[in-house]
Amino acid sequence: MADAEAEAAFLSSMQVMNEGATKYEDTNGASAQQIDSSSSDEYDPASDVQDMTMSPGPQSQFQPDPLSSLDSSSNAISHPVSATAQQPSAHTNGVTTMTSPSEIVMPNNNNSDTAIEATVQQPDSADSPITAQPDTNSSLDTTTTVADIGPTTHNDSVPVRRDISKSDTITGSSSMIAPSKARLPHDRIGLLEDRIKEDERGDMDAWLSLISEYRKRGKVEEARKVYERFFTVFPSAAEQWVAYTQLENEAQNRHGVEAIFGKTLQDSPSLQLWTAYLDHIRRYFSIASDKVGNAGQINHQAYEAVIAAVGIDKDAGKLWQDYIQFIKTSPGVLGGNNWQDQQKMDLLRKTYQSAVCIPTQAVEGLWRDYNSFEMGLNKLTGRKFLQDQSPAYMTARSSYMELQNITRDLKRTTLPALPPAFGFDGDDEYMKQVDIWKRWIQWEKDDPLVLKQDEAEKYKARIVFVYKQALMALQFWPEMWFDAAEFCFNNDLETQGNDFLNRGISANPESCLLAFKRADRLELSTTNGNDDESKKRRGDTVREPYDKVLDALYELINKAMAREARDLARIEAHFSEASNGLNIGATQENTEQENDEAEEQKKVLDQQKNAQFEIVKAMGAVQIRLLHKTISHAWIALMRAFQRIQGKGKVGALVGGSRQIFTDSRKKGRITSDVWIAAAMLEFHSFEAESAKRIFERGVKLFPEDDNFALEYVKHLIATNDHTNARVVFETAVGRLTQKPETVPKAKPLYAYFHDFQARYGELAQIIKLEKRISETFPDDPRLASFSERFAHEGFDPTAVRPIISSATQTRPKAMPIPSIEPVPSAPDSPPNRFIQITNSPKRLLPIEESDNESSRPRKLARGESPLKGAAGRRLDQQKRNRQPQEMSQYEGQPNTHMMLPPPLPRDVLFLLSIIPKSSTYHATKFNPEEMVRLIRETNIPNSVSQLRPPPPPQNGGGMQQMTPMPPGQYNSERSKKRKKHIARMGRRSKRQRSRAREYMASDIRGLSHSHDFVLKWFSPPLPRALRKISGLLATILHVVLNASIDAQSLPFALD
């Protein structure tokens, strides 16, 4: 019952707003709306807050449009848009401006109602002034957009305007826009402080220069203060943390160094910072000067902590080597029998085994040291340990090579930089670094170290570690924070995921991506109770990330306006100084011509100044428009979240709901029409259709030249079958937009949508009339496009279809040109043809292969089959073609159902054949294909490693069988001697390398890779590089061949 009464009161108040008289007054600089709401205290989404689109004069009032009331009998709107014009209070063109610097409007975040409704012009009243809407090109005027505390139009033109007069910019009477007091050139610290104040996160050089300046002057306390300020902005700058510790060490402040390590070590994965911590421990707990006897234990614990934190870094090889050397120098004897010796041996073995499994730059040296360590203790057990660790070592070694290739161009810095805007200087380099980090992270996710199944915790730890490394350099790249948090949430790392989000929001408070993700996590982790208190608590919890991002965005607008004002003041001061110099030079003694030249120079200076003013204002307007859009969509997201948590709620109540958020957004200001559209659609789909209608009615008055709002309003009316009002809104909006040449293009989406609607459901006469209006408004658009769009649906246009009538004439394949049997005449001195003419081949023309000793020989030209030339040759060719009726029938258009030409090769095959290199590009060993196929087919492939047995020793003492002795007299003695030497040399070579192959086969199947490398080295000319990446099957085959499973003598004969 209570809900029904509240809803009735809500609708009643909505009706009162549209039908009653509403008056606005100016009290103490803020406009207050007087609403007769005594009948109900229910929320009215269209009248509870004034919406400022202009800064009215003290005497301006809003007169309600009597035509805006609803006609319940006809269910039609006679004119849904207010038509009363607003009288300007100062200056011309209906734009209210401020004349004193103190009146310059800066953002006001209080909740006072400082808005006033903008009225619009009746389409039939041509003499009345235009509504108080800003010109779309206002950013290039002498007035610039700086503030609005109400909604803006969809094109993001800011309704509230201010005039930066010369008195404002030259005299600096306004403290908000006055440039900073000029500093002397030698005031280096003051200049650096100004740079930091102006660009805190972007000017890294100013920070470092200021710190360096204080350190040069010996002002340690001031340097400490700058460091503390620096680390609030760049908390992950490990390089500067190390420099800070060096400053404290120079000041002999041990406790200061330890305080620094206590602040930053737990959150920093920097190898440099942890190494500095280890150096600090070794300095103050030296084993050589240890008198208590606990320095060794403290050093050992420090090493363990550092290894656990950054031991998996790819550059941590030196750290592992230092740790191993530290263990070797600890008490105990390797190979001894007492407990201390055994403990040292176990610790050293454990450290070696951990180090050789991590891809670092020292992994090969660590493996050699581990090999010497194990074999020096006990060869029998050493081989077993080495064999167990060999697969992990091989994986780590190959993985490090892959990782080096990925990170070759990576700049591992801990000094983050703001990402350049797209298309500006440094954008490509920054995105390249982002791409490298992403590829490194993806490489870790692909699990090259094979940890995901058996050691899932190590797998996750490696990925999180790389994310932390990336975020030290990409602190201001929100997508990386989001990806890191998402990975943690998907892998049961809730705490670390929340930590990533919180730190990311702290580094990027204006990021909607991180704020929305954090709000979603809070909404999912909390639930509503049975009372309003629990709903309020949950709403407050979820709203916190939204409030932070909104505050940051509003602050960015303030900074953008202040920066624009400073730039304009600097430009004005610069040109004023130049103009004053001209005035000083223009004395009475000068001739008239010289004075005229001075006047011309002043005009040039004024033109240059105005051009720079326009550039600064245009850039500021673009930034502010973008921020307005971002703020509006943040309010929309918050409004939808509260609709899920608290429902529609009631303004001013304990549970405000989505309506309270809509009210707050209008009070805070700087919103576009998107907020109004979202609020109306939320009311329509979730609560009351009548509320949505009234929000649209109020919004169309506030955004009279907003094409997107008018379009959404028309769509809404059509969706509710209110076609009459939809037509009225369409005509009104189009009439306004086509009155000004600069707003005519904005009417095209409205025309397109309404034309599509009329084409589906309207009368033909109306459709033709609308198409005529479109062609008159947009004469450059083709008439055919408008006509065909009537019949198109979901991308299919039946008017553009060309059906097949006759397949014989319309679907004939394109004929390939038939080469002539006559040789092509060439110039007398032209070079010979180097290509073989091959017909009906998709491959490129093959060059004739030539050797060095044949390059000077004359070439034979390829010619046809017929020996005849001229007319006789053509007659013979005609006779041959007559014997092929199928081909002739295809070209003559005669149907033939008995024989068909072979279909053309697929496009992908043709492309593959086109990119195959020519045979002349291969200079390495060439194989005989038939012999290679026969060799592979006849090779006996073992099914397991156990079947691989070393071959019996050769009888002739060599690796290859001796050739059959040559018959006497067949070759001369010199050639016979050379061949015998070659056979003996090959036998010795094969014997040595066959012995190496048996050593590799002593290990498990991973040893096949070694034998594979050996086989590739066996051939005298080196094999092509691509063949070195053959599969394991080919490696096994060659290994068997090497071990004489078949006749080894047949292998060389397989070579061409």
Side-chain angles (χ1 to χ4, degrees):
M1 186 63 180
D3 292 341
E5 293 178 356
E7 196 62 40
F10 167 70
L11 296 177
S12 175
S13 63
M14 295 292 296
Q15 186 72 16
V16 169
M17 189 282 301
N18 270 4
E19 297 180 356
T22 307
K23 182 180 294 185
Y24 294 83
E25 295 179 354
D26 186 344
T27 304
N28 296 328
S31 300
Q33 182 181 14
Q34 306 298 330
I35 301 176
D36 183 9
S37 58
S38 59
S39 59
S40 173
D41 58 353
E42 180 61 45
Y43 163 72
D44 186 345
S47 63
D48 61 330
V49 177
Q50 304 109 24
D51 303 283
M52 180 177 177
T53 57
M54 280 296 298
S55 296
Q59 305 299 327
S60 43
Q61 290 183 343
F62 167 72
Q63 300 296 332
D65 181 9
L67 300 179
S68 63
S69 59
L70 293 178
D71 184 358
S72 58
S73 60
S74 62
N75 193 25
I77 300 178
S78 57
H79 205 294
V81 182
S82 173
T84 303
Q86 181 180 2
Q87 297 296 332
S89 61
H91 301 287
T92 58
N93 298 329
V95 178
T96 301
T97 57
M98 288 157 286
T99 58
S100 65
S102 61
E103 293 178 8
I104 294 178
V105 179
M106 298 302 288
N108 185 7
N109 294 332
N110 57 24
N111 293 328
S112 61
D113 298 339
T114 59
I116 185 166
E117 179 181 4
T119 57
V120 298
Q121 179 185 3
Q122 280 281 13
D124 56 353
S125 178
D127 296 332
S128 60
I130 303 300
T131 66
Q133 281 292 324
D135 189 274
T136 55
N137 296 326
S138 62
S139 61
L140 301 180
D141 297 341
T142 56
T143 57
T144 185
T145 295
V146 296
D148 85 300
I149 311 182
T152 63
T153 57
H154 181 71
N155 62 3
D156 298 318
S157 296
V158 184
V160 175
R161 303 165 60 84
R162 61 153 164 91
D163 180 19
I164 299 180
S165 61
K166 293 183 179 180
S167 61
D168 294 335
T169 55
I170 296 177
T171 63
S173 57
S174 174
S175 61
M176 291 185 179
I177 67 171
S180 59
K181 184 179 179 180
R183 295 183 181 273
L184 297 176
H186 64 269
D187 187 8
R188 180 170 175 77
I189 291 179
L191 294 173
L192 292 173
E193 288 285 3
D194 291 343
R195 288 172 55 186
I196 292 173
K197 183 178 180 180
E198 184 175 350
D199 191 3
E200 187 180 45
R201 286 188 285 176
D203 200 343
M204 177 69 72
D205 292 338
W207 283 105
L208 301 182
S209 299
L210 182 60
I211 294 172
S212 176
E213 190 69 23
Y214 277 127
R215 296 187 66 173
K216 288 179 181 178
R217 300 184 182 187
K219 298 182 178 180
V220 178
E221 190 60 35
E222 286 77 3
R224 288 194 183 105
K225 293 179 181 179
V226 177
Y227 268 125
E228 295 298 330
R229 289 163 49 199
F230 176 84
F231 291 125
T232 58
V233 182
F234 309 101
S236 300
E239 298 174 18
Q240 290 307 306
W241 282 112
V242 174
Y244 194 9
T245 61
Q246 294 174 355
L247 174 68
E248 297 294 354
N249 279 325
E250 292 172 1
Q252 300 297 321
N253 186 6
R254 175 182 173 182
H255 296 290
V257 174
E258 294 175 355
I260 293 172
F261 288 135
K263 289 182 195 175
T264 184
L265 276 180
Q266 295 302 322
D267 297 328
S268 176
S270 170
L271 178 63
Q272 181 183 6
L273 183 60
W274 280 95
T275 303
Y277 163 74
L278 187 61
D279 294 340
H280 174 78
I281 295 297
R282 290 187 292 188
R283 173 186 177 182
Y284 288 100
F285 296 93
S286 175
I287 298 178
S289 60
D290 183 21
K291 298 180 180 180
V292 181
N294 60 352
Q297 184 66 21
I298 294 175
N299 278 265
H300 176 72
Q301 293 176 355
Y303 268 113
E304 289 288 341
V306 175
I307 289 293
V310 294
I312 58 177
D313 194 296
K314 75 181 188 69
D315 297 328
K318 181 65 167 55
L319 176 64
W320 283 102
Q321 291 175 334
D322 291 345
Y323 184 33
I324 290 173
Q325 186 63 31
F326 170 77
I327 297 174
K328 289 181 178 179
T329 58
S330 62
V333 179
L334 293 177
N337 297 325
N338 59 29
W339 66 270
Q340 193 175 31
D341 300 337
Q342 295 293 326
Q343 185 184 50
K344 180 177 180 179
M345 180 184 66
D346 294 340
L347 179 59
L348 193 57
R349 177 179 287 118
K350 178 183 176 181
T351 305
Y352 269 125
Q353 292 178 354
S354 299
V356 298
C357 297
I358 299 173
T360 62
Q361 77 276 22
V363 65
E364 295 185 9
L366 290 170
W367 176 258
R368 289 193 296 269
D369 294 344
Y370 180 50
N371 190 7
S372 302
F373 166 73
E374 292 291 359
M375 299 302 289
L377 293 177
N378 189 314
K379 292 186 178 181
L380 183 62
T381 58
R383 289 193 183 97
K384 179 180 179 302
F385 283 123
L386 292 173
Q387 184 176 359
D388 292 341
Q389 296 298 320
S390 178
Y393 158 68
M394 296 296 294
T395 302
R397 187 182 68 172
S398 59
S399 297
Y400 178 73
M401 297 177 64
E402 295 177 11
L403 190 56
Q404 283 295 97
N405 293 331
I406 293 174
T407 60
R408 179 174 292 111
D409 297 326
L410 182 64
K411 298 178 181 178
R412 296 189 66 180
T413 179
T414 63
L415 297 178
L418 288 170
F422 292 107
F424 287 82
D425 182 41
D427 174 37
D428 295 336
E429 293 79 1
Y430 192 92
M431 294 307 301
K432 181 179 180 181
Q433 295 299 309
V434 173
D435 180 66
I436 294 174
W437 280 113
K438 287 183 177 180
R439 286 193 284 119
W440 185 357
I441 293 169
Q442 186 59 45
W443 181 82
E444 292 286 354
K445 290 181 178 180
D446 293 339
D447 194 22
L449 299 178
V450 196
L451 300 173
K452 190 173 183 179
Q453 296 296 331
D454 299 332
E455 298 178 282
E457 294 302 322
K458 289 185 178 180
Y459 168 76
K460 298 176 186 178
R462 287 191 62 87
I463 297 176
V464 171
F465 179 80
V466 180
Y467 269 122
K468 290 181 178 180
Q469 292 285 327
L471 288 170
M472 287 194 296
L474 305 178
Q475 177 181 339
F476 302 120
W477 190 252
E479 287 84 348
M480 190 64 69
W481 292 101
F482 179 88
D483 292 342
E486 193 70 13
F487 172 80
C488 293
F489 292 140
N490 294 335
N491 290 273
D492 300 327
L493 301 174
E494 189 78 14
T495 303
Q496 296 189 44
N498 290 327
D499 181 64
F500 276 126
L501 281 181
N502 292 330
R503 291 170 56 197
I505 292 174
S506 178
N508 304 273
E510 66 285 338
S511 171
C512 290
L513 174 67
L514 300 177
F516 294 168
K517 181 63 178 178
R518 178 60 179 162
D520 283 353
R521 297 300 302 180
L522 293 174
E523 186 176 348
L524 289 174
S525 60
T526 57
T527 56
N528 284 338
N530 297 326
D531 55 346
D532 292 345
E533 287 290 343
S534 63
K535 292 182 180 179
K536 183 181 183 304
R537 285 194 299 270
R538 188 185 182 199
D540 294 341
T541 302
V542 174
R543 183 167 180 170
E544 181 183 358
Y546 290 104
D547 286 340
K548 287 183 178 180
V549 70
L550 285 169
D551 292 342
L553 292 172
Y554 280 112
E555 182 62 25
L556 283 181
I557 292 182
N558 297 346
K559 291 181 178 179
M561 291 190 305
R563 181 169 55 250
E564 178 186 348
R566 286 195 303 268
D567 292 342
L568 293 176
R570 288 168 184 159
I571 294 173
E572 183 67 34
H574 171 74
F575 283 97
S576 297
E577 183 179 355
S579 179
N580 293 334
L582 292 177
N583 293 332
I584 295 174
T587 61
Q588 295 181 355
E589 288 77 8
N590 292 340
T591 63
E592 183 177 354
Q593 181 180 1
E594 292 175 346
N595 291 333
D596 292 341
E597 292 178 356
E599 290 297 329
E600 290 294 332
Q601 293 179 2
K602 287 183 180 180
K603 292 181 180 179
V604 173
L605 288 177
D606 290 339
Q607 293 176 357
Q608 295 176 353
K609 180 183 70 173
N610 293 333
Q612 293 191 22
F613 271 11
E614 291 177 357
I615 293 174
V616 172
K617 293 174 184 178
M619 293 180 62
V622 170
Q623 296 178 15
I624 292 176
R625 283 199 297 267
L626 179 62
L627 291 173
H628 285 171
K629 293 285 290 184
T630 308
I631 287 173
S632 299
H633 284 78
W635 280 114
I636 292 172
L638 178 58
M639 187 162 48
R640 292 170 179 169
F642 264 63
Q643 185 271 334
R644 295 189 298 266
I645 297 172
Q646 298 180 354
K648 62 183 178 181
K650 181 179 179 182
V651 177
L654 186 64
V655 178
S658 60
R659 293 177 176 177
Q660 181 66 59
I661 301 302
F662 183 42
T663 303
D664 293 345
S665 68
R666 296 163 65 196
K667 289 180 179 179
K668 201 73 175 287
R670 303 198 179 281
I671 59 175
T672 64
S673 62
D674 300 312
V675 178
W676 285 75
I677 296 172
M681 300 310 296
L682 194 62
E683 291 283 343
F684 176 74
H685 289 289
S686 301
F687 308 127
E688 290 296 329
E690 192 66 21
S691 302
K693 183 177 179 181
R694 298 188 185 281
I695 292 175
F696 272 119
E697 290 174 3
R698 177 63 178 275
V700 80
K701 302 174 186 179
L702 297 172
F703 309 99
E705 293 184 1
D706 193 329
D707 57 318
N708 183 67
F709 188 87
L711 179 61
E712 294 298 328
Y713 191 10
V714 171
K715 290 181 180 179
H716 172 72
L717 292 174
I718 290 176
T720 56
N721 290 326
D722 195 354
H723 297 171
T724 304
N725 287 335
R727 181 180 294 276
V728 173
V729 174
F730 167 74
E731 294 293 345
T732 305
V734 169
R736 286 199 185 92
L737 293 175
T738 54
Q739 285 179 356
K740 299 179 182 179
E742 61 270 13
T743 59
V744 169
K746 297 167 62 177
K748 183 174 288 189
L750 278 166
Y751 273 119
Y753 177 80
F754 206 73
H755 177 265
D756 180 71
F757 169 71
Q758 289 283 48
R760 295 172 186 267
Y761 311 109
E763 297 291 337
L764 182 59
Q766 296 176 349
I767 298 172
I768 295 176
K769 183 179 178 181
L770 182 59
E771 289 179 353
K772 183 178 179 180
R773 290 178 58 188
I774 294 175
S775 62
E776 292 174 354
T777 307
F778 306 102
D780 295 336
D781 293 351
R783 293 290 299 271
L784 177 61
S786 299
F787 179 80
S788 61
E789 286 173 358
R790 286 198 229 162
F791 313 98
H793 179 66
E794 295 182 355
F796 177 74
D797 185 6
T799 64
V801 174
R802 293 186 297 174
I804 303 299
I805 307 302
S806 173
S807 59
T809 59
Q810 293 180 275
T811 61
R812 286 186 299 176
K814 292 184 178 180
M816 299 181 62
I818 301 177
S820 173
I821 63 175
E822 298 181 4
V824 179
S826 59
D829 298 331
S830 62
N833 187 8
R834 297 175 53 84
F835 296 94
I836 303 175
Q837 301 292 336
I838 301 177
T839 60
N840 298 329
S841 175
K843 296 181 64 175
R844 66 180 73 174
L845 300 179
L846 300 177
I848 303 174
E849 297 185 7
E850 59 184 17
S851 59
D852 296 337
N853 57 351
E854 296 179 353
S855 59
S856 59
R857 295 181 182 180
R859 293 292 181 183
K860 294 183 179 181
L861 298 177
R863 56 184 300 175
E865 297 179 0
S866 175
L868 302 177
K869 300 181 180 179
R874 287 194 292 273
R875 286 195 297 271
L876 179 60
D877 182 65
Q878 182 67 26
Q879 294 175 4
K880 289 183 178 181
R881 288 190 291 170
N882 289 337
R883 290 193 295 269
Q884 300 176 359
Q886 169 61 26
E887 296 183 5
M888 292 302 299
S889 64
Q890 292 292 328
Y891 289 108
E892 295 176 2
Q894 301 175 359
N896 190 332
T897 59
H898 301 288
M899 299 178 63
M900 297 294 293
L901 285 176
L905 293 175
R907 178 177 59 85
D908 296 338
V909 176
L910 291 174
F911 174 73
L912 176 63
L913 294 176
S914 67
I915 63 176
I916 294 177
K918 296 179 291 188
S919 60
S920 61
T921 60
Y922 295 100
H923 302 290
T925 303
K926 299 181 180 180
F927 290 90
N928 187 331
E930 292 81 5
E931 292 295 330
M932 287 299 299
V933 171
R934 181 188 63 78
L935 177 64
I936 295 176
R937 183 176 62 248
E938 296 178 359
T939 300
N940 182 21
I941 302 176
N943 295 327
S944 63
V945 181
S946 60
Q947 299 181 11
L948 296 176
R949 294 290 184 270
Q955 297 179 0
N956 56 0
M960 299 179 58
Q961 297 181 1
Q962 297 290 338
M963 303 293 296
T964 305
M966 300 295 172
Q970 185 173 355
Y971 297 100
N972 56 31
S973 59
E974 186 65 24
R975 188 176 182 87
S976 178
K977 290 180 181 178
K978 291 183 178 180
R979 183 165 184 82
K980 288 180 180 180
K981 291 181 180 179
H982 173 72
I983 293 174
R985 184 171 61 254
M986 293 299 294
R988 292 192 300 270
R989 181 179 182 183
S990 177
K991 183 177 180 180
R992 291 193 305 269
Q993 297 183 352
R994 189 188 298 271
S995 176
R996 292 177 58 189
R998 292 195 189 98
E999 293 179 1
Y1000 287 123
M1001 288 301 298
S1003 59
D1004 56 1
I1005 193 64
R1006 291 181 180 273
L1008 288 177
S1009 62
H1010 299 281
S1011 59
H1012 173 213
D1013 295 338
F1014 162 70
V1015 172
L1016 294 177
K1017 297 177 182 178
W1018 183 82
F1019 296 99
S1020 178
L1023 292 178
R1025 180 177 180 139
L1027 194 57
R1028 293 180 176 274
K1029 299 182 178 180
I1030 59 176
S1031 64
L1033 175 63
L1034 186 57
T1036 306
I1037 295 173
L1038 296 177
H1039 183 83
V1040 174
V1041 171
L1042 181 64
N1043 286 276
S1045 296
I1046 63 172
D1047 187 5
Q1049 186 177 1
S1050 64
L1051 183 60
F1053 291 169
L1055 301 176
D1056 190 4

